[in-house]
Amino acid sequence: MSTNATIDQWELWHHGVRLADTTRSERIRVLRQFATEAGIDPTYAQPLDIVRWYSSHPEWTKSTHYTYHSYLVTFFKWLQLQDIRADDPMIKVGKIKQPKRKPRPVADQHLIQLLRTNMHHRTRVMILLAALAGLRCIEIAAFRGEHVDVPRGRMLVQGKGGSEEWVPLHPVLVATAEGMPARGWWFPSNRTRPGQHVTRKSVSQSVGDAFRRADIPGSAHRLRHWYGTTLLEDGADVRVVQELMRHSSLTSTQMYTGVTDLRMRAAVEKLDLYRAIA
């Protein structure tokens, strides 16, 4: 079986198990990159081929290295399940520890500054969906007028893997919806994808450009981090925040609980030196 045929079969499997398009496209992209840069058919890659490929990319962050490693682990397990390959080279490569991720929420004052900056109306709506509903870029891109249920004060979010979740509609988003299409895409593609919505990358670029014009650090995903962190800082139960952020695991939500500067500062300020020496 040729390199392309194996990769095409793997891509077909992703469609069959209904994994998210972004997951599928990224895994295929990385596997093709490995095949090209290592100069081999990944179907028959040996542990040394994989380790040398890793070593050829010292610029990778720990997070990138971990992610790409997990893609290869999945690929070789799939080869075994399909009886295409008997052994698993990743066993000799070893495990890579997942780096601890910490949310990086936009600062409150920076969010205010961002919203005061002149920008296209639809870019502002993208920002509000990220900050007041915690939507990811891919969820913003595919948002439709039919997803808003004003009478019930809720909105439908189509998330990872085709999941659908209803979440409360923030009052600002209720007002925002009045100026957006009641049916169809909120962010239709202008030229490149007629009849379709904009891409995840397009949302990320639009919001990123707004941050740059405001001369402040930030991104669309950092607005989502602000959403989760602020909910917890304001006293929301971690299980409630898990549902609002649509995390499949509570572990993902708990990542937000230990990083708030406000809580750490408050804890330090409560230290009583005189009580300690009394």
Side-chain angles (χ1 to χ4, degrees):
M1 187 179 294
S2 68
T3 302
N4 287 334
T6 304
I7 295 177
D8 287 347
Q9 270 200 359
W10 197 43
E11 183 173 5
L12 184 63
W13 174 82
H14 280 78
H15 282 288
V17 296
R18 299 180 65 82
L19 289 178
D21 287 345
T22 49
T23 300
R24 172 185 53 79
S25 60
E26 269 300 285
R27 285 180 177 180
I28 299 303
R29 181 189 68 79
V30 170
L31 190 60
R32 291 192 186 281
Q33 180 183 341
F34 171 53
T36 300
E37 294 179 352
I40 58 172
D41 183 340
T43 309
Y44 308 107
Q46 296 302 309
L48 191 57
D49 298 319
I50 297 165
V51 171
R52 284 175 174 169
W53 183 56
Y54 290 169
S55 299
S56 70
H57 287 282
E59 78 282 3
W60 286 353
T61 63
K62 290 181 179 179
S63 179
T64 297
H65 190 178
Y66 174 82
T67 300
Y68 289 6
H69 179 82
S70 70
Y71 292 168
L72 292 186
V73 168
T74 304
F75 173 67
F76 288 110
K77 284 187 182 302
W78 173 80
L79 288 177
Q80 287 185 304
L81 289 172
Q82 299 297 315
D83 292 327
I84 297 174
R85 180 167 178 163
D87 66 317
D88 182 353
M90 301 307 289
I91 294 175
K92 290 186 177 180
V93 172
K95 294 182 179 180
I96 294 179
K97 188 176 181 181
Q98 184 174 13
K100 270 192 172 182
R101 294 185 304 159
K102 290 188 176 182
R104 300 172 59 205
V106 173
D108 291 351
Q109 62 270 30
H110 284 168
L111 179 55
I112 293 171
Q113 185 177 336
L114 175 67
L115 292 172
R116 287 175 175 170
T117 302
N118 288 330
M119 65 184 78
H120 292 297
H121 176 65
R122 77 184 212 162
T123 301
R124 186 176 301 276
V125 176
M126 291 175 179
I127 290 170
L128 292 175
L129 286 171
L132 299 179
L135 266 62
R136 304 173 177 92
C137 287
I138 192 170
E139 295 166 346
I140 294 171
F143 199 79
R144 300 178 64 90
E146 296 91 335
H147 294 167
V148 178
D149 185 356
V150 174
R152 291 179 176 155
R154 63 181 188 170
M155 57 188 284
L156 180 67
V157 181
Q158 294 183 326
K160 290 182 176 180
S163 66
E164 293 187 347
E165 301 286 345
W166 287 99
V167 298
L169 190 62
H170 192 280
V172 171
L173 291 176
V174 172
T176 301
E178 294 177 357
M180 299 299 288
R183 301 186 65 82
W185 308 118
W186 271 19
F187 312 106
S189 178
N190 293 328
R191 298 190 189 94
T192 57
R193 291 154 48 95
Q196 296 296 312
H197 58 75
V198 297
T199 63
R200 171 186 60 84
K201 185 177 180 180
S202 176
V203 173
S204 179
Q205 288 178 338
S206 295
V207 176
D209 288 344
F211 272 101
R212 283 186 285 275
R213 285 195 300 274
D215 196 25
I216 53 177
S219 65
H221 208 66
R222 289 184 65 177
L223 291 170
R224 174 174 161 81
H225 287 180
W226 179 88
Y227 175 76
T229 302
T230 304
L231 285 170
L232 287 166
E233 283 183 344
D234 289 345
D237 181 82
V238 68
R239 277 287 291 116
V240 172
V241 178
Q242 178 191 359
E243 293 297 321
L244 289 172
M245 297 198 72
R246 305 168 314 283
H247 285 150
S248 58
S249 168
L250 187 60
T251 303
S252 299
T253 312
Q254 287 173 330
M255 175 182 74
Y256 290 80
T257 63
V259 297
T260 59
D261 291 339
L262 187 63
R263 286 182 176 179
M264 289 191 289
R265 190 177 301 113
V268 170
E269 289 174 354
K270 288 180 180 178
L271 291 173
D272 187 347
L273 180 60
Y274 292 101
R275 185 181 66 180
I277 62 177

